[in-house]
Amino acid sequence: MTLGEWLAAVGVLLLSLYGCAQLIRRVCLWIWRCPRNVRCYRLAVPRDGGAIEPLFRCLQAQDAWADAGAQCTMVLMPPLDEARQLVVDRLIEENPSVVAVTAAELAAMVAEL
């Protein structure tokens, strides 16, 4: 066997081990999944106003590809000017699984539970 064939064999072996580990991970996550009567939320807090649009797009992409993720992702919003608020409203219309909440709304939701 040449060096290239050895490297290819090692690469295939490593990829197959990674695939087996991912299969075991998925089975374990399926076995210990949350019961249906539990609501799972994820809270994201942006550090500044400029990070809001990339954060929304990232969270929406994660939600689109997740098979058993949180039911809803909430983003704790800092005070926004009108231009950024319009962008946030547009992003929320694109994917309603990401919800923008203020600190007062989040406190009211927690008090309600």
Side-chain angles (χ1 to χ4, degrees):
M1 288 183 76
T2 65
L3 180 63
E5 292 172 337
W6 278 103
L7 289 175
V10 168
V12 167
L13 177 66
L14 291 175
L15 288 173
S16 63
L17 289 174
Y18 178 74
C20 289
Q22 289 298 317
L23 177 66
I24 292 169
R25 176 184 161 269
R26 293 232 177 208
V27 169
C28 289
L29 288 174
W30 181 77
I31 290 172
W32 289 294
R33 67 188 179 276
C34 289
R36 297 262 182 222
N37 60 352
V38 174
R39 297 192 124 197
C40 295
Y41 290 100
R42 183 169 62 165
L43 180 66
V45 182
R47 292 180 189 236
D48 61 7
I52 292 174
E53 185 172 2
L55 175 66
F56 263 81
R57 296 211 182 275
C58 176
L59 293 173
Q60 290 169 348
Q62 288 176 3
D63 181 62
W65 286 95
D67 53 348
Q71 291 178 354
C72 180
T73 301
M74 295 184 293
V75 178
L76 186 60
M77 300 301 290
L80 298 174
D81 58 352
E82 288 187 29
R84 286 208 174 124
Q85 186 63 43
L86 290 173
V87 170
V88 168
D89 292 340
R90 181 179 47 85
L91 290 169
I92 291 172
E93 287 176 9
E94 289 176 9
N95 190 344
S97 67
V98 179
V99 179
V101 295
T102 62
E105 292 171 343
L106 183 60
M109 289 175 70
V110 170
E112 186 178 296
L113 296 175

